[in-house]
Amino acid sequence: MDNSLTNRQKEFLGSGWSFPVTFSVGNHQLVLTRYEKNIEDSIDVIMQTKFGERPLASEFGSGLQQYFFKKMDETLKGEIKKTVETALLDNEPRITVLNIAVVFADMLAGRIEITIDYEYNQTNTRHNYVYPFYIKEGTNL
């Protein structure tokens, strides 16, 4: 992260509710995120949201859940990469995606790591974000 920018220069990165929504212990105030953390939270929400999950914004999200229980092969990597790229292009205007890498981190557990390299549109500062996605979603029932 570019620590040379002042808070005033980072205002364009925004602020908002933390995800998941939490309250501070001492004064029970809503916890907010700012700047780089706000964008990371936004990416996390986009990756976790199914299409149609938000009634007033039915196209919001990534729809990654459609890949649950799919065969882990090169075709799946390409589909996930395209899905993430489109979701971020449509839902997060503060960044430009530079690269998306999809890696099968644990085939037995169905764990895929999605690494997103991006830069902030206003300052061209580069960052990356790793999202763990589990193909074999399940419980211990």
Side-chain angles (χ1 to χ4, degrees), residues 34 70 111:
R34 298 174 67 181
K70 293 255 183 158
R111 183 168 161 251

Side-chain angles (χ1 to χ4, degrees), residues 17-23 30-31:
W17 292 17
S18 64
F19 183 79
V21 176
T22 54
F23 295 90
L30 184 66
V31 175

Side-chain angles (χ1 to χ4, degrees), residues 81-129:
K81 183 176 179 176
K82 185 65 176 167
T83 298
V84 170
E85 182 178 26
T86 302
L88 293 175
L89 178 66
D90 292 346
N91 297 298
E92 185 46 81
R94 297 174 290 180
I95 64 171
T96 297
V97 176
L98 303 173
N99 186 47
I100 298 170
V102 179
V103 176
F104 297 142
D106 186 348
M107 294 285 282
L108 292 175
R111 183 168 161 251
I112 296 175
E113 286 185 355
I114 304 167
T115 303
I116 304 162
D117 295 318
Y118 61 92
E119 67 183 12
Y120 302 129
N121 289 335
Q122 230 169 335
T123 62
N124 297 329
T125 306
R126 292 184 181 204
H127 296 269
N128 69 27
Y129 179 81

